[in-house]
Structure formats: C-alpha cells, structure tokens
Amino acid sequence: MSADQPGKTPAAKGIGDQEHLRVLGYEDSFHRSMSLWANFALGFTYLSPLVGVYSLFALALSTGGPPSIFWILIVGAGQLLVALVFGEVVSQYPIAGGIYPWTRRLWGKRYAWMAAWVYVWAMLVTITAVAEFGSGFLGSLIDAPVTKEVTLGLSVLFLLVAFAFNFSGTKMLGRVARIGLGAELIGVIGLGLYLLIFQRKQEFSVFFNTMGVEGDGNYAVAFLGAALAGLFLFYGFEACGDVAEEVANPARGIPRAMILTILVGGVSALFSFGGYVMAAPDLQAVVDGNDIDPIPAILEASLGTVGAKLFLVVAITAFLSCVLSLQAAASRLMFSFARDGMIPGHAWLSRVSPRTAVPVNALIVACSIPLALCLLIYAGGSLTQITAFAVIGIYVAFQSVVLAALRQRIKGWRPAGPFNLGRAGFVVNVVALAYGVFAMVLLALPGKTGVFLDDWIVLIGLAVVMGAGLLYLFIAKPHTNSHQPEGDAIAVAALLRAHPGNAASAAPGAPGATDAGGPRPTSVSD
C-alpha cells in the first residue's frame, strides 16, 4: 500500500487524487481516510462468503450434489474477468458511486439512470435479506423463539446498529469492516480448514459423486440448476469503487482491492463449502432434501455446544459487517446519483456532513427502505419474492458497465488509468460480457414447481423494477436536470495522458503516452 499522503501523489507516480477529480469535473467532498486494507475489507464483507455459503449450502447440495462446489470456481473465474474490466474503469474514473458514474461516463445519462436504478434497488433488498438472515443467527445465540416479532425486532436491530457505525464516519466504517474481515476469515477459512482436517467424514472423491441427485434425468441439468451456489457469492467487489473518493490513491489501490476480494473470497468459499460437505454426519439426507438446514447440526457435531455458540458470535459479526458494507455502498451510489441531479430530492440526498464527511441523508434512505421492507415481510410478504430479483438485478447492473466499456473500446477508447490491461483488455472485456450473459440466462431460467408466480418470480421482479425505472425516466426526464459530462471516456483518457503529472511518469513513446482518440480536447465535456 502506498505511503503517499491523500491527494499528494508525486508526479513521478502519476496525477494526484485531487487533481484527478478536477480533471473529471469534481472537487473533493470526503475525507480520504480509508486505507487499501480497509477498502478490501469493505468489498470482502459485502461479498461475505460466510453469508453466501450458509444461505445456499443446502439448496446447492439438494440441487446439484457435492459437485456443485465447482460453481464457486466457475463463477469466481468469470467475476474475476468482470473485476478486471471494473479495475480499468475505476482507475480512469475514481468517482464515488461506482455503477452510476461509470456507466454515465462510458455511455450516457439515460443508460446510467437505468443501470443505477436497478442496482440501488437490488442493494436495498439485499440489505433487507442479509438483516433477515442474520436475525436467525442472533436469535439462536440468545435462545430467542423463532417468531415473526422476534425476527422483525432483530432485523431492525441489525439495520440500526449498522447505520450508527456508518453515521460515525469513514474511519469507523473501515474499522468495523476490518473487524468483519477477521470474523469472516475465522468463520470460513479457519473453520473450513478445521472441518477438512479434523472432522472429515467423507472422502475427497465425494466432490465427483452426484449421489443420485439427478434421479432418472441428465446430471448436466441438475448441475446447471445449482449455479446459484456460485452466482450468489461473487458480487460486492464493486463496493470498493463506491467509496473511491474516500480512499487514498484510488486509481491504483481500488483495482487491487477488487481483485483481492475475488481471490480471497473464492478461496474462503471453497474452504467453507468443502468443509461443511466433508464434515456432514448425514450428507445423503442433505442431498435428498430431507435436511434443509444442516449447518447447525454439522457445527454442533464438530465443535460441541460451546464451539457452536462461539461460531454464532463470529457469524453475527460477519452479518453485521455485511449489512454495514451494503449500506455504505448504497448510500454512495445514491449520493453520486443525487450529486448529478438525477434523482428526486437530489439537493437533500447529496448533502455531506461537514463533521463526518459522509452522505448522511443518503445513509438514512439506505436504512429506511430496508426497514420498510422488513415491516412488509412481517405483514405477510415473502422474503423470497421480495429478494428474488436482487441477484439478477446486480448482474444486470454489472454487465451494463462491461457492455458500455466494450462499446467504448470499439470506438477507440484505451483506458488511461494507472491500472491497465493493455492489449489484453479487449479480449478480457469480450469474455467478461459473454460470461455475464451466460450467468443472467441461468438466473432467469424459470422454476419447475408449476406455480406461475414462484417459477417466474425472478423475471417478474426484474420487470417490475425496470418497468418502474423506465416509466419515471420517460415521464419525469430526470436526465434533463443534469449537465455533468457523459460518454467522454476517449476525451478524458486524452486529458489524463496529457496531464503534466502523467506525462512526467510516462517515457516518450511508451504505451499510454498518447491517445488514439484524435486531437487532445481542451475540457472534459468536449
């Protein structure tokens, strides 16, 4: 990690943070008090392999059997390609908000409106889901009865405690994220290794044994049906870019944090998933769908009562950190949206606290809407139906960036940030888009229960959110309120390469020293 002071990056290392923002048309609004380690911790706790593995372990095994673990490798590889594309984009555009400013500067205002609209709702319902799942762990720890009232109360507690930490400022956010990172590593890698080494009840060959999950059909169909085991895990690395204006030297550090989030998250998930499989006392019952919540029994059998309680403490810490990171990412996205005048109440939402330098009003919304969704669930709504579109919504938003980046490359854009894939960037971009389309098709496939709403709920949820967004876009025309630049990737790349700080650090004739996009512009908005 660089030891340079925030905003004071020497010319020999490229353009400084504050000057980079000025080239993009903004002034510093935040305190750059988040280190690279804290930035990685934020992305990792958002990704949260502990939450992902626990939530889908039984479903994955009952759908695809033990070989479903290979989805972690497949999706991890695909999302790593997406993270590389994101790394090039954030390196040129280290702006708070992530998805929204990236899609705006790569494509345009209306395109960015839809991408951000889908993503912010996907994050808000994901916050709700994580808080609801976490309430079960907290209830088990304090031996509370599993009632609707207890679930509501504990979910609200998760949301309010996370909000209080976020409200305290970026330093507190980074501190709690690092604590959550430690809890995650103990709860997934540490526990996974312990189960694999000391509590193994299966042979390693079990991961190549379908255990009859395909029935009389083709196993390929069953394996594809288990894709959610990986697809639910690998997002969250984008949160590293949401707080770009709160990180020192973000153009260099954030791409590394994103890649590290994917790599460490993937290894953690493999150890965790594999450990539970190897330590399951009755794995066949899980595969047959007779044990729909097997992890508590696995922990009780492997760790004893006291050990299982200690794990609950670790898990609750991880869930709280996940809610915290999600709230932070959602609030920065809404702030970025509002700063450009692209959302109702933008003047209020774009306010930053002069004391803590966080977008407090956006944080209030990022907490209030999940609170309202928790009340809706309490009143009889289905958590599954409310959150069904969240995963595909996140993938749609991510791929909107990948598609926009590829469009700019075809037009001649060569990313000008310090993180650069060079000639390999085009190939990586194409493969990342192909992977994303494949993933979205898998997520959108209807179920086979015979109940229309249950089978099509993913596409119905996505259609409702996108339909509402399109309706507002065409009726209210929020994009007409904003005069910030759009679709300027080639022009900005030329400006950055021509900047004295970057020119001083690039050897004459070196790759990236000039831009192929034509004459150098005189302003960002040209």
Side-chain angles (χ1 to χ4, degrees):
M1 184 177 63
S2 172
D4 301 325
Q5 293 299 315
K8 300 293 184 180
T9 308
K13 292 187 178 181
I15 188 172
D17 296 343
Q18 292 176 359
E19 187 58 29
H20 196 152
L21 266 186
R22 290 192 188 100
V23 171
L24 300 176
Y26 297 105
E27 296 293 332
D28 262 338
S29 301
F30 299 93
H31 295 156
R32 292 189 182 273
S33 54
M34 181 173 283
S35 66
L36 173 60
W37 180 248
N39 189 246
F40 158 63
L42 178 72
F44 187 86
T45 52
Y46 180 162
L47 182 143
S48 190
L50 187 151
V51 173
V53 170
Y54 190 98
S55 301
L56 290 173
F57 178 73
L59 176 64
L61 283 181
S62 62
T63 305
S68 57
I69 193 174
F70 292 107
W71 276 113
I72 297 175
L73 294 172
I74 295 169
V75 177
Q79 289 294 76
L80 180 60
L81 296 175
V82 175
L84 290 173
V85 175
F86 279 22
E88 286 194 305
V89 176
V90 73
S91 193
Q92 177 165 316
Y93 291 107
I95 312 172
I99 296 290
Y100 163 69
W102 298 344
T103 48
R104 178 181 180 126
R105 307 302 282 266
L106 290 170
W107 197 305
K109 290 184 286 188
R110 284 175 287 191
Y111 184 84
W113 158 263
M114 285 306 302
W117 173 260
V118 170
Y119 191 48
V120 74
W121 278 105
M123 281 199 288
L124 290 171
V125 297
T126 303
I127 292 169
T128 308
V130 175
E132 291 272 339
F133 284 133
S135 68
F137 282 85
L138 185 54
S140 297
L141 180 65
I142 63 177
D143 295 320
V146 183
T147 64
K148 292 176 62 177
E149 291 74 19
V150 169
T151 299
L152 174 63
L154 296 181
S155 299
V156 169
L157 181 62
F158 266 106
L159 293 170
L160 293 179
V161 171
F163 172 78
F165 282 129
N166 265 312
F167 194 83
S168 299
T170 303
K171 282 188 176 180
M172 180 60 73
L173 168 63
R175 189 175 298 122
V176 177
R178 288 194 297 270
I179 294 171
L181 171 63
E184 285 273 1
L185 294 178
I186 293 170
V188 290
I189 293 183
L191 177 61
L193 282 173
Y194 172 77
L195 296 177
L196 285 169
I197 296 171
F198 299 108
Q199 297 294 328
R200 193 168 73 237
K201 297 178 175 63
Q202 325 291 337
E203 296 296 328
F204 282 103
S205 59
V206 74
F207 294 112
F208 299 92
N209 184 353
T210 67
M211 298 184 70
V213 73
E214 70 275 20
D216 297 328
N218 189 325
Y219 178 69
V221 175
F223 184 70
L224 288 174
L228 199 60
L231 295 174
F232 185 71
L233 270 171
F234 289 98
Y235 53 87
F237 57 90
E238 179 271 343
C240 299
D242 283 328
V243 294
E245 294 177 43
E246 298 163 74
V247 179
N249 205 359
R252 294 179 183 274
I254 288 178
R256 296 203 300 265
M258 288 181 174
I259 294 168
L260 199 59
T261 296
I262 292 289
L263 295 177
V264 178
V267 171
S268 301
L270 284 171
F271 279 132
S272 182
F273 193 102
Y276 288 138
V277 169
M278 298 298 284
D282 190 355
L283 185 60
Q284 191 66 56
V286 183
V287 173
D288 292 342
N290 298 324
D291 187 351
I292 60 173
D293 190 18
I295 292 180
I298 295 172
L299 295 174
E300 187 81 26
S302 304
L303 304 177
T305 303
V306 174
K309 288 286 186 182
L310 290 174
F311 174 80
L312 286 175
V313 174
V314 172
I316 290 166
T317 304
F319 271 88
L320 178 61
S321 297
C322 186
V323 174
L324 179 91
S325 300
L326 281 161
Q327 279 185 356
S331 66
R332 272 56 170 189
L333 173 57
M334 284 187 281
F335 163 81
S336 181
F337 219 13
R339 180 169 61 177
D340 287 355
M342 293 277 281
I343 194 170
H346 57 85
W348 183 76
L349 283 169
S350 61
R351 291 177 188 167
V352 175
S353 167
R355 183 177 64 85
T356 60
V358 297
V360 289
N361 295 335
L363 267 173
I364 291 171
V365 175
C367 182
S368 299
I369 292 179
L371 282 172
L373 291 174
C374 285
L375 289 172
L376 180 62
I377 293 168
Y378 172 75
S382 167
L383 176 62
T384 301
Q385 291 178 353
I386 288 175
T387 61
F389 98 98
V391 179
I392 194 171
I394 288 171
Y395 272 81
V396 167
F398 276 30
Q399 288 304 310
S400 69
V401 178
V402 177
L403 176 61
L406 182 59
R407 176 175 176 265
Q408 284 292 338
R409 289 183 198 275
I410 292 172
K411 293 171 68 175
W413 176 53
R414 291 186 296 111
F419 179 84
N420 199 303
L421 299 176
R423 293 180 179 177
F426 187 88
V427 176
V428 170
N429 205 152
V430 170
V431 180
L433 182 62
Y435 156 77
V437 172
F438 170 69
M440 288 188 291
V441 169
L442 289 179
L443 288 167
L445 289 175
K448 298 180 180 179
T449 66
V451 179
F452 178 81
L453 184 61
D454 291 341
D455 289 345
W456 293 90
I457 188 62
V458 172
L459 287 178
I460 291 172
L462 183 63
V464 168
V465 171
M466 293 190 72
L470 283 169
L471 195 63
Y472 182 83
L473 178 64
F474 285 110
I475 293 175
K477 296 180 170 57
H479 59 285
T480 60
N481 299 325
S482 174
H483 303 289
Q484 293 294 333
E486 60 178 316
D488 62 354
I490 295 174
V492 167
L495 278 175
L496 290 172
R497 290 192 172 98
H499 191 278
N502 282 331
S505 61
T514 59
D515 189 81
R520 288 171 178 167
T522 56
S523 69
V524 174
S525 58
D526 283 351

